[in-house]
């Protein structure tokens, strides 16, 4: 079936189309093949090497990178992650782990030799290369190896074989004789068998293949075939184009893009899978020579050009401006309104447009006059176009135009039935468009917006304040100060929404402000141009940063923002109107027509993840991030090179990241190079989200684990070993130190003990003669009196005393029981000598164990002093001496008390007596020698208790009352 198509629809330039060139980092304007790899990157061949684009920046691989031939025509991503680089003729290369491998680095590539640029076909894991003209061999590249398959078809030597397709699965090579035409043939490269197919081909026909579809192009004539059972071709479409085609691309949806020799592309919206006849193609980009076309995974379209870089258009624009085209739609729209007759557009000149039935019809008021529209009002058949200095009333039924009075207009707003409010630089005027009459409401003041909220009451806004105005009395009352309102709409009774120039959206009642919605609430900007009402709970805001839908759910506010990436021709939106599910947006690049349901059904996340291209760690860049990532101090700086290939965001990409293993919080950066400096040893997890247009985030985080290892002296085992060795050395040092000190102290104590023992013996040696001297005096006295019986008794007691004194003088301690017996002998002897001049008593408390020991001969000198210095000279009373042993607290208390003259009378100073001094020396010696603390207290009882006598107390510590002896 042959179909002659009528002239195609024409779109020279599509709003929203992006051109990437040298200014964006694409350092070549002459671009060739386009392809997308499994990670989503776009690879661009050019006359200045190969470029990789990740949506934010271009990475170039050129001669500096290792390409021996920088004329990179195409690139072919391999399943193992390599990128095979097809250059002009020979000097092939491939990219692996960020490094270009050329034929000098891998001699396998030198096997590939062609006289003409080859064609390519993908197998399962390999790439096949063959010449389109008289091929002799097929070269197979796989895993850095090249295999040559020789061809040996039987043919006429005069035959010029044009090879146009290879089927890797069936190993079939398709060709025909280009010089003579004739039947198309299929050649099996394994069995060497040649099979003639069912169709003949005219000479000089160029054939393009995609899967099982074949497109035959001969000048302007195109025939499309579908292959069945390897050898049977069935024609499914035939057409003739107006211009010669030099390249045809079939995209992933099996739609045809025909690149024209003189420039431009003809695009067929219908898929080859659809059996119905092809529809009229759409011509775009006629001023550019297109080399290749790619429709990526997100259905965005890419165009490589001759001398103009690469063009890109999102899927939404493709659908809005190619699949659903609007004729004559590229003007700068400054105002918009609607009624049943259509959508009315006011431009930045004295011209308007009426949109009906997918076509915009121009309505010219004054030719070549650059006065822009400020506002449009429509009702019924009446449309009032408000330009800067002119107001035009237009009748949609009759087409009649009527120019109203000249003024500097700011706004046109609905007023009462059949009338509008004209906001001008001279005040507020009511205009009745039915009677064509005017009524001045307020003069000599500039107003920008107004709204009738009661019968005779208006909200009226200047460039800085909002007033309440009574139209009957002309009384003006300040309502909201400091707000420049650009638009006011009524949502429901006593609830109004106001668009402001700098303060976002104000929700207010007749009493005052209820809520303020600004950037902090989620708006892209606080400068609002116009508002449109979807329903009593939803408003749309037009801004220079796109459209915002604000939904009020109780006290909560939900905001959805839409920009050029959502299908708007431009982010500069002058206003919008809503009709059913469709919103019409007037932008600086034409009218945008969008489905509200489609806009709201868009995913809140971007179905992509951040890609970590490489990691610099330990001074080395690692491209294969599947291997363990390990660094070691002091090379502990880590750099991540990341990409988020979301091309719809058109470069508005940032990264939200954090490093787990530190105390760091989430951070946001627009740089694809994320650096962490001087990381301490430890295990870390790098987690990163991609953020695209309108703040949309990748659906999941990309995580990468790595480790910073310490030097051996920073490891826990080394530190433990050092601490252990240090502790051991310190322990040894301390032990040796204290051992030496202890030995020295023991040596000192030994000598001190020897000295103390000698001193003790010397003291005893002093005590014994002193005691004996006193006894001999007594005996001498008795003999002098010739009292021989008393002398005999006395000598017997004296002998016992001498024996015990000699016995105890050799001992350091003696039991309390023996001390009491010794004191009894002594007191009896002294009592006999003094003719019963005194009585005595020795008392041992029940708290005292008689086997406890005390220093020997310590108490006797004090008893002797009590006799000699206390009671010996008494004439008025009989003497009395009391010795008691008691236990108080942790001390043994020995009390020697007499009723003598006391230590403070007469010439005797008993505290300084020779016996007391000797006892004090003994006390000090015991303290040094045996760690026995002895406290001596001497009291004059007259001063203490106003009775005669002296009291001596000995406190002996430490004292272990649970033991059977003193501690010593």
């Amino acid at each position: 079936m042959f179909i002659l198509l009528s002239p195609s629809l024409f779109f020279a330039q599509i709003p929203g189309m992006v051109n990437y060139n040298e200014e964006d980092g694409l350092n070549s304007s002459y671009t060739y093949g386009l392809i997308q790899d499994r990670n989503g990157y776009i690879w661009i061949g050019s006359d200045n090497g190969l470029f990789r684009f990740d949506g934010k920046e271009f990475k170039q691989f050129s001669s500096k990178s290792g390409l021996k031939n920088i004329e990179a025509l195409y690139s072919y991503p391999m399943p193992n992650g390599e990128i095979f680089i097809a250059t002009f003729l020979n000097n092939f290369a491939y990219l692996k782990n960020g490094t270009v491998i050329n034929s000098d680095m891998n001699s396998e590539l030198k096997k590939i030799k062609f006289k003409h640029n080859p064609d390519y076909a993908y197998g399962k894991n390999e790439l096949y290369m063959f010449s389109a003209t008289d091929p002799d061999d097929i070269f197979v590249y796989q895993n850095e190896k090249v295999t040559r398959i020789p061809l040996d078809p039987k043919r006429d030597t005069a035959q010029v074989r044009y090879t146009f397709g290879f089927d890797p699965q069936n190993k079939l090579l398709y060709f025909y004789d280009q010089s003579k035409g004739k039947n198309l043939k299929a050649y099996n490269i394994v069995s060497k068998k040649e099979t003639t197919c069912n169709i003949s081909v005219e000479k000089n026909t160029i054939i393009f293949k995609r899967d099982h579809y074949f497109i035959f192009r001969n000048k302007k004539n195109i025939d499309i075939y579908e292959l069945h059972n390897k050898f049977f071709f069935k024609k499914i479409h035939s057409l003739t184009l107006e211009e010669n085609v030099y390249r045809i691309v079939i995209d992933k949806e099996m739609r045809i893009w025909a690149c024209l020799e003189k420039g431009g592309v003809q695009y067929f919206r219908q898929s080859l899978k659809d059996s119905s006849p092809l529809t009229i193609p759409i011509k775009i980009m006629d001023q550019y020579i297109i080399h290749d076309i790619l429709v990526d995974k997100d259905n965005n379209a890419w165009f490589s050009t001759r001398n103009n870089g690469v063009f890109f258009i999102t899927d939404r624009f493709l659908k809005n401006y190619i699949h659903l085209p609007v004729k004559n739609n590229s003007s700068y729209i400054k105002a918009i309104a609607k009624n049943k007759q259509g959508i009315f557009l006011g431009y930045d000149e004295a011209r308007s447009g009426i949109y009906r039935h997918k076509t915009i019809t121009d309505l010219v008021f004054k030719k070549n006059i650059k006065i822009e529209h400020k506002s449009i009002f429509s009702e019924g058949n009446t449309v009032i176009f408000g330009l800067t200095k002119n107001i035009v009333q237009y009748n949609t039924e009759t087409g009649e135009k009527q120019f109203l009075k000249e003024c500097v207009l700011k706004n046109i707003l609905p007023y009462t039935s059949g009338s509008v409010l004209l906001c001008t630089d001279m005040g507020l005027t009511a205009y009745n468009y039915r009677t064509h009459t005017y009524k001045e409401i307020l003069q000599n003041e500039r107003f920008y917006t107004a709204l009738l909220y009661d019968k005779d009451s208006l909200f009226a806004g200047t460039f800085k304040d909002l007033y309440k105005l009574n139209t009957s009395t002309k009384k003006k009352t300040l309502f909201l100060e400091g707000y420049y309102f650009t638009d006011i709409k009524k949502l429901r009774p006593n609830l109004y929404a106001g668009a402001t120039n700098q303060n976002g959206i104000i929700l207010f009642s007749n009493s005052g402000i209820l809520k303020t919605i600004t950037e902090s609430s989620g708006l892209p900007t606080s400068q609002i141009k116009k508002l449109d009402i979807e329903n009593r709970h939803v408003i749309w805001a037009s801004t220079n940063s796109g459209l915002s839908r604000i939904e009020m759910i109780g006290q909560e506010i939900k905001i959805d923002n839409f920009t050029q990436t959502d299908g708007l021709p431009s982010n500069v939106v002058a206003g919008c109107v809503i009709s059913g599910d469709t919103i019409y947006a007037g932008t600086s690049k034409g009218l945008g027509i969008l489905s509200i349901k489609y806009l709201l059904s868009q995913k809140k996340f971007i179905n992509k993840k951040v890609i970590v291209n490489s990691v610099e760690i330990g001074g080395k860049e690692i491209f294969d991030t599947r291997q363990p990532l390990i660094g070691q101090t002091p090379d502990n700086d880590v750099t991540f090179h990341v990409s988020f290939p979301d091309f719809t965001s058109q470069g508005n990409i940032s990264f939200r990241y954090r490093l787990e293993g530190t105390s760091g919080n989430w951070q946001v950066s627009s740089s694809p190079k994320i650096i962490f400096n001087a990381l301490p040893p430890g295990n870390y997890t790098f987690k990163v989200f991609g953020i695209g247009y309108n703040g949309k985030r990748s659906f999941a985080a990309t995580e990468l684990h790595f480790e910073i290892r310490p030097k051996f002296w920073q490891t826990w085992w080394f530190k433990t070993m050092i601490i252990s060795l240090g502790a051991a050395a310190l322990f040894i040092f301390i032990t040796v130190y204290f051992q030496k000190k202890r030995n020295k102290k023991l040596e000192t104590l030994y000598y001190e003990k020897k000295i103390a023992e000698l001193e003790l013996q010397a003291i005893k040696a002093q005590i014994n003669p002193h005691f004996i001297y006193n006894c001999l005096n007594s005996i001498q006295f008795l003999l002098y009196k010739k009292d021989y019986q008393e002398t005999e008794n006395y000598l017997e007691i004296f002998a016992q005393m001498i024996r015990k004194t000699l016995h105890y003088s050799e001992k350091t301690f003696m039991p309390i029981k023996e001390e009491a017996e010794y004191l009894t002998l002594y007191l009896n002897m002294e009592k006999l000598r003094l003719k019963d001049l005194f009585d005595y008593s020795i008392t041992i408390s029940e708290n005292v164990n008689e086997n406890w020991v005390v220093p020997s001969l310590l108490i006797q000198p004090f008893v002797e002093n009590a006799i000699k210095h206390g009671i010996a000279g008494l004439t008025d009373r009989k003497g009395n001496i009391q010795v008691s042993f008691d236990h108080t607290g942790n001390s043994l208390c020995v009390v020697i008390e007499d009723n003598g003259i006391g230590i403070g009378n007469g010439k005797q100073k008993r505290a300084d007596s020779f016996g007391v001094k000797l006892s004090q020396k003994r006390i000090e010696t015991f303290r040094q020698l045996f760690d026995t603390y002895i406290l001596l207290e001497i009291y004059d009882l007259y001063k203490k208790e106003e009775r005669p006598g002296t009291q001596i107390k000995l406190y002996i510590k430490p004292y272990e009352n649970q033991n059977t002896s003193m501690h010593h």
Side-chain angles (χ1 to χ4, degrees):
M1 179 174 60
F2 186 86
I3 302 174
L4 181 64
L5 295 180
S6 59
S8 63
L9 298 177
F10 178 77
F11 292 89
Q13 182 69 36
I14 303 173
M17 182 169 280
V18 179
N19 178 218
Y20 294 110
N21 49 43
E22 289 90 341
E23 295 178 357
D24 306 293
L26 180 60
N27 298 323
S28 174
S29 59
Y30 207 102
T31 55
Y32 297 117
L34 299 168
I35 200 163
Q36 187 176 29
D37 67 14
R38 61 182 182 179
N39 289 325
Y41 294 127
I42 302 297
W43 295 87
I44 305 165
S46 79
D47 63 352
N48 192 22
L50 181 68
F51 290 86
R52 187 195 74 189
F53 185 50
D54 64 359
K56 191 173 182 69
E57 63 180 8
F58 290 89
K59 182 174 178 60
Q60 182 180 9
F61 299 92
S62 62
S63 58
K64 294 181 180 179
S65 309
L67 284 180
K68 297 174 69 175
N69 187 343
I70 63 170
E71 195 88 10
L73 302 180
Y74 293 93
S75 60
Y76 295 92
M78 303 301 294
N80 62 358
E82 298 173 2
I83 305 294
F84 188 86
I85 305 173
T87 61
F88 184 75
L89 290 180
N90 301 305
N91 288 319
F92 298 94
Y94 60 93
L95 185 66
K96 182 178 181 180
N97 292 332
T99 302
V100 173
I101 309 297
N102 56 38
S103 58
D104 294 337
M105 303 167 70
N106 185 354
S107 59
E108 288 284 309
L109 297 174
K110 294 181 179 179
K111 297 178 182 179
I112 308 173
K113 296 290 184 182
F114 289 105
K115 295 179 181 178
H116 306 281
N117 291 325
D119 284 347
Y120 299 82
Y122 273 117
K124 184 177 180 181
N125 296 302
E126 63 278 352
L127 181 68
Y128 294 86
M129 293 167 272
F130 57 92
S131 175
T133 304
D134 289 331
D136 294 322
D137 306 283
I138 288 181
F139 293 95
V140 184
Y141 173 81
Q142 183 179 10
N143 296 328
E144 302 184 81
K145 298 291 184 181
V146 176
T147 305
R148 174 179 168 270
I149 301 176
L151 303 177
D152 188 27
K154 296 178 181 179
R155 62 183 177 89
D156 185 354
T157 55
Q159 185 183 36
V160 180
R161 289 179 302 161
Y162 170 65
T163 305
F164 57 85
F166 179 69
D167 180 359
Q169 182 178 359
N170 296 304
K171 301 296 188 289
L172 292 176
L173 189 68
Y174 294 93
F175 68 92
Y176 80 100
D177 185 349
Q178 193 176 33
S179 62
K180 299 177 182 179
K182 298 185 180 180
N183 281 10
L184 187 147
K185 297 182 180 181
Y187 174 74
N188 191 301
I189 65 172
V190 177
S191 66
K192 312 298 182 182
K193 181 180 178 181
E194 187 176 289
T195 303
T196 301
C197 299
N198 66 306
I199 60 171
S200 61
V201 183
E202 295 182 11
K203 67 177 182 180
N204 298 322
T205 298
I206 304 299
I207 303 175
F208 304 92
K209 176 181 180 296
R210 174 70 184 257
D211 295 342
H212 57 281
Y213 292 100
F214 291 77
I215 299 179
F216 293 57
R217 188 268 294 170
N218 194 314
K219 295 183 180 179
K220 299 178 183 180
N221 299 321
I222 293 178
D223 295 314
I224 304 172
Y225 291 87
E226 186 175 5
L227 178 64
H228 296 272
N229 299 324
K230 297 185 287 188
F231 308 113
F232 181 79
F233 288 80
K234 178 183 178 182
K235 184 185 289 187
I236 58 174
H237 296 290
S238 183
L239 53 99
T240 299
L241 300 179
E242 290 183 311
E243 301 180 47
N244 289 339
V245 177
Y246 81 94
R247 176 171 172 75
I248 291 177
V249 175
I250 305 175
D251 67 24
K252 64 186 184 69
E253 300 296 332
M254 297 300 161
R255 297 171 300 196
I256 298 174
W257 301 75
C259 303
L260 306 177
E261 288 183 354
K262 294 182 179 180
V265 174
Q266 285 191 322
Y267 167 62
F268 295 83
R269 290 169 288 175
Q270 183 181 351
S271 172
L272 293 177
K273 298 176 183 179
D274 190 346
S275 59
S276 60
L278 293 177
T279 55
I280 299 173
I282 298 171
K283 185 177 181 181
I284 60 174
M285 304 180 69
D286 69 314
Q287 67 270 50
Y288 304 107
I289 300 297
I290 308 299
H291 282 161
D292 196 15
I293 300 166
L294 169 70
V295 175
D296 65 23
K297 297 176 182 178
D298 297 320
N299 292 320
N300 305 312
W302 301 79
F303 305 87
S304 66
T305 70
R306 180 192 302 171
N307 299 323
N308 293 101
V310 172
F311 285 88
F312 166 80
I313 183 172
T314 66
D315 174 48
R316 296 180 182 91
F317 276 106
L318 201 64
K319 291 177 178 177
N320 286 344
Y321 291 91
I322 294 182
H323 292 198
L324 299 173
V326 177
K327 294 181 180 180
N328 192 25
N329 183 24
S330 60
S331 298
Y332 196 128
I333 300 173
K334 301 290 290 187
I336 186 170
K338 74 175 178 69
N339 64 16
K340 293 181 180 179
Q341 279 69 38
I343 307 296
F344 301 94
L345 312 174
Y347 300 135
D348 62 343
E349 55 183 313
R351 181 174 64 89
S352 181
I354 304 174
Y355 171 75
R356 283 185 290 227
H357 311 300
K358 297 183 180 180
T359 301
I360 297 176
T361 304
D362 277 350
L363 187 63
V364 179
F365 303 121
K366 291 184 180 181
K367 293 182 178 180
N368 301 322
I369 301 297
K370 291 293 183 181
I371 54 173
E372 65 180 12
H373 280 73
K374 289 292 185 180
S375 183
I376 302 175
F377 170 84
S378 65
E379 186 178 64
N381 293 326
T382 299
V383 181
I384 301 176
F385 296 94
L387 288 83
T388 304
K389 295 183 178 179
N390 294 104
I391 303 173
V392 182
Q393 183 172 331
Y394 176 74
N395 189 300
T396 58
E397 186 175 0
T398 63
E400 179 186 359
K401 304 175 193 174
Q402 181 181 358
F403 285 84
L404 307 183
K405 71 174 186 176
E406 288 191 6
C407 62
V408 179
L409 184 72
K410 302 300 178 185
N411 212 339
I412 301 176
L413 301 160
Y415 189 38
T416 59
S417 178
S419 66
V420 295
L421 278 173
L422 305 178
C423 298
T424 71
D425 64 338
M426 297 302 293
L428 281 174
T429 302
Y431 169 68
N432 191 307
Y433 51 82
R434 295 172 183 169
T435 61
H436 306 289
T437 57
Y438 298 89
K439 178 182 178 182
E440 299 296 338
I441 296 177
L442 194 66
Q443 292 182 319
N444 300 323
E445 192 162 356
R446 181 177 304 188
F447 287 94
Y448 290 85
T449 188
L451 177 69
L452 185 69
Y453 70 90
D454 204 353
K455 181 179 179 182
D456 297 319
S457 299
L458 283 174
F459 290 120
T462 67
F463 70 93
K464 63 177 182 178
D465 299 310
L466 184 67
Y467 295 89
K468 286 183 176 181
L469 177 64
N470 187 295
T471 56
S472 299
T473 63
K474 311 297 183 183
K475 182 180 179 182
K476 184 178 67 171
T477 305
L478 181 62
F479 178 52
L480 296 177
E481 185 177 7
Y483 293 97
Y484 173 12
F485 283 86
T486 56
D487 194 14
I488 302 175
K489 292 291 193 298
K490 183 177 181 179
L491 287 171
R492 47 186 183 266
N494 200 26
L495 180 61
Y496 307 92
T500 70
N501 191 47
Q502 292 181 332
N503 301 99
I505 298 172
I506 308 297
L507 300 179
F508 61 94
S509 66
N510 289 331
S511 303
I513 294 176
L514 302 176
K515 197 176 194 66
T516 301
I517 305 172
T518 61
E519 290 180 57
S520 61
S521 309
L523 290 176
T525 177
S526 292
Q527 185 180 30
I528 313 298
K529 291 182 177 180
K530 293 290 182 182
L531 297 176
D532 199 60
I533 307 299
E534 181 179 334
N535 57 54
R536 59 187 295 168
H537 299 287
V538 179
I539 55 177
W540 289 76
S542 301
T543 74
N544 284 337
S545 301
L547 277 174
S548 295
R549 183 179 185 270
I550 300 97
E551 184 175 5
M552 289 159 281
I553 308 170
Q555 296 298 317
E556 300 296 322
I557 298 292
K558 180 185 176 184
I559 298 176
D560 292 295
N561 298 311
F562 306 102
T563 61
Q564 196 172 10
T565 55
D566 298 292
L568 287 173
S570 165
N571 288 339
V572 180
V573 183
C576 65
V577 292
I578 299 171
S579 179
D581 178 57
T582 304
I583 184 166
Y584 299 87
T587 78
S588 60
K589 292 183 179 179
L591 178 66
I593 305 172
L594 305 169
S595 165
I596 296 176
K597 183 178 180 181
Y598 172 76
L599 289 175
L600 296 179
S601 65
Q602 295 180 30
K603 294 180 179 179
K604 303 303 179 184
F605 295 92
I606 298 174
N607 193 29
K608 293 181 176 67
K609 292 178 67 175
V610 172
I611 298 171
V612 179
N613 300 310
S614 65
V615 181
E616 293 181 43
I617 185 171
K620 179 182 177 182
E621 187 169 9
I622 301 171
F623 291 90
D624 185 5
T625 57
R626 294 171 297 179
Q627 63 177 286
L629 301 175
I630 300 172
Q632 188 176 46
T633 54
D635 296 325
N636 50 356
D637 294 340
V638 182
T639 301
F640 294 91
H641 298 271
V642 296
S643 296
F644 186 47
D646 181 58
F647 305 107
T648 306
S649 296
Q650 298 181 24
N652 296 318
I653 290 170
S654 57
F655 303 93
R656 185 172 185 263
Y657 66 92
R658 68 173 295 180
L659 191 61
E660 294 182 352
T662 67
S663 58
N665 297 320
W666 287 99
Q667 301 182 57
V668 177
S669 172
S670 60
S671 172
K673 189 175 181 180
I674 299 173
I675 303 173
F676 298 95
N677 291 315
L679 290 174
N683 290 294
Y684 300 93
T685 299
F686 173 64
K687 183 178 287 188
V688 59
F689 290 94
I691 302 176
Y693 70 98
N694 292 345
K696 290 185 178 181
R697 198 183 73 182
S698 57
F699 75 97
T702 297
E703 296 185 6
L704 200 61
H705 304 277
F706 67 97
E707 179 184 1
I708 300 295
R709 290 179 177 174
K711 287 293 187 181
F712 74 89
W713 60 79
Q714 296 175 314
T715 57
W716 66 268
W717 58 265
F718 183 82
K719 291 178 180 179
T720 302
M721 182 182 70
I722 292 298
I723 292 172
S724 300
L725 291 175
L730 182 62
F731 175 76
I732 293 172
F733 174 78
I734 293 173
T735 302
V736 170
Y737 173 78
F738 281 104
Q739 185 65 38
K740 287 183 178 181
K741 194 171 182 180
R742 184 169 175 269
N743 292 339
K744 188 174 182 180
K745 184 176 180 180
L746 288 175
E747 185 177 357
T748 303
L749 289 175
Y750 173 77
Y751 288 112
E752 287 179 351
K753 183 176 180 181
K754 287 294 184 182
I755 293 170
E757 288 176 349
L758 292 174
E759 184 180 8
L760 184 60
Q761 291 176 5
I763 293 171
K764 288 181 178 180
Q766 289 178 315
I767 292 175
N768 292 340
H770 177 72
F771 169 71
I772 293 172
Y773 175 77
N774 290 337
C775 290
L776 291 175
N777 282 338
S778 297
I779 293 171
Q780 183 181 8
F781 178 75
L782 291 174
L783 290 174
Y784 178 77
K785 291 172 48 180
K786 297 181 180 183
D787 190 347
Y788 300 111
Q789 183 62 41
E790 289 295 324
T791 301
E792 183 180 355
N793 293 337
Y794 189 87
L795 284 172
E796 183 180 355
I797 297 172
F798 176 67
Q800 294 180 20
M801 279 291 300
I802 291 298
R803 283 196 299 272
K804 286 187 178 292
T805 300
L806 293 175
H807 173 71
Y808 292 133
S809 64
E810 295 176 355
K811 294 185 178 182
T812 306
F813 293 90
M814 60 189 296
I816 293 175
K817 179 180 179 181
E818 294 181 6
E819 177 71 27
E821 292 174 355
Y822 179 76
L823 292 175
T824 301
L825 280 174
Y826 173 71
L827 288 169
N828 285 337
M829 187 181 68
E830 288 293 278
K831 186 175 181 181
L832 181 63
R833 182 175 69 86
L834 297 176
K835 302 295 183 181
D836 289 331
L837 182 64
F838 68 92
D839 293 326
Y840 73 91
S841 64
I842 299 175
T843 306
I844 300 175
S845 172
E846 293 179 356
N847 298 329
V848 175
N849 189 333
E850 292 182 347
N851 293 320
W852 289 348
V853 296
V854 294
S856 63
L857 304 179
L858 177 64
I859 301 173
Q860 186 271 338
F862 295 103
V863 175
E864 181 181 345
N865 277 347
I867 296 171
K868 183 177 180 180
H869 301 292
I871 63 173
L874 291 178
T875 57
D876 58 341
R877 62 185 180 278
K878 190 175 183 178
N880 186 22
I881 296 175
Q882 296 178 1
V883 180
S884 64
F885 296 85
D886 198 2
H887 179 257
T888 59
N890 61 350
S891 301
L892 178 68
C893 180
V894 181
V895 180
I896 303 104
E897 184 178 309
D898 65 69
N899 63 343
I901 62 175
I903 63 174
N905 296 326
K907 297 180 180 180
Q908 301 296 332
K909 299 293 182 183
R910 291 166 57 195
D912 296 330
S913 69
F914 180 71
V916 172
K917 288 181 178 180
L918 290 177
S919 296
Q920 287 177 336
K921 286 184 179 181
R922 290 192 71 210
I923 288 171
E924 184 63 28
T925 302
F926 271 100
R927 183 182 299 168
Q928 294 178 2
L929 193 59
F930 302 107
D931 291 331
T932 301
Y933 183 76
I934 302 174
L935 177 64
L936 173 62
E937 294 181 353
I938 302 175
Y939 299 101
D940 187 338
L941 291 176
Y942 185 81
K943 293 180 179 180
K944 184 179 180 183
E945 300 177 4
E946 294 186 354
R947 63 186 178 89
T950 301
Q951 185 184 68
I952 294 174
K953 288 186 177 182
L954 290 169
Y955 295 95
I956 304 174
K957 300 179 185 178
Y959 194 79
E960 298 179 356
N961 57 6
Q962 300 299 322
N963 297 334
T964 58
S965 64
M966 283 288 294
H967 170 71
H968 59 87

